[in-house]
Amino acid sequence: LNVAVKSAPEPEDLVRLIGGLEGHFVLVDTTSVNPYVAQEMARLRRIVDAAPMEGLLVMSAGREPLESRDMAAEFRKLAPTRLLVTGLDMSRRLGGILSALEASGAAFAEISATPDIVDGLRSVNPVMLARLLLEISNLREPDANKDPARLRQARQATGWN
């Protein structure tokens, strides 16, 4: 990817690192956080408050709807602006993501419907979302002889061909 990577073990270190990078694109990636563990959420709050940045919530598409809703509601306390959905190529049901969107108060950011990082992410628009919902709702149990069909259908629904 040809990017410079720096580590900031503590939020204070992040402030120092970002301080000299005005005018540059900076991506702050944190470790996974369990929204039900107060210490982990408190540390994430310190990171979010350390510098002005857009909060992006990343969730897998395959979660159960009620669990997704509860988790997203906890993350809503950190005011994420957008939701990035991963694992769409491995999910047949989108209820969890739709629940998370509503509970988080965030808008769709991008989606990943492929295991290949080089294919990148795709922005979501209303037409793509409608196609994706229709394609996934029409899927049947996979046929042992047609395993690649699931990935192909997800790619077609999201614009990856």
Side-chain angles (χ1 to χ4, degrees):
L1 296 175
N2 197 24
V3 295
V5 176
K6 308 266 184 197
S7 176
E10 295 299 324
E12 299 76 25
D13 301 321
L14 177 62
V15 171
R16 279 191 292 280
L17 272 175
I18 293 176
L21 297 173
E22 273 92 35
H24 290 85
F25 177 79
V26 176
L27 175 68
V28 177
D29 186 17
T30 66
T31 58
S32 296
V33 172
N34 182 337
Y36 307 119
V37 176
Q39 295 98 335
E40 291 184 25
M41 288 296 281
R43 185 170 191 286
L44 186 56
R45 165 58 73 194
R46 288 180 34 232
I47 293 169
V48 168
D49 291 345
M53 63 181 86
E54 178 185 14
L56 190 69
L57 177 58
V58 179
M59 290 186 75
S60 173
R63 292 194 181 272
E64 188 272 329
L66 296 177
E67 190 63 44
S68 291
R69 181 199 64 202
D70 293 349
M71 291 175 70
E74 291 299 316
F75 284 115
R76 184 178 189 142
K77 298 170 185 174
L78 301 174
T81 56
R82 296 187 292 154
L83 175 68
L84 189 150
V85 180
T86 64
L88 202 55
D89 55 315
M90 298 182 290
S91 291
R92 291 188 173 181
R93 292 162 189 86
L94 295 181
I97 290 307
L98 297 176
S99 294
L101 274 168
E102 190 276 326
S104 69
F108 253 129
E110 284 86 22
I111 59 172
S112 170
T114 174
D116 303 319
I117 193 167
V118 294
D119 283 340
L121 303 169
R122 296 290 187 261
S123 296
V124 178
N125 61 47
V127 172
M128 179 193 286
L129 181 58
R131 287 179 63 202
L132 188 58
L133 289 169
L134 291 171
E135 288 292 326
I136 287 179
S137 69
N138 288 324
L139 290 177
R140 303 289 179 252
E141 288 300 313
D143 183 321
N145 296 324
K146 298 180 181 177
D147 241 3
R150 172 67 187 110
L151 180 57
R152 188 174 58 254
Q153 287 173 324
R155 286 179 173 221
Q156 289 170 346
T158 56
W160 275 284
N161 289 323

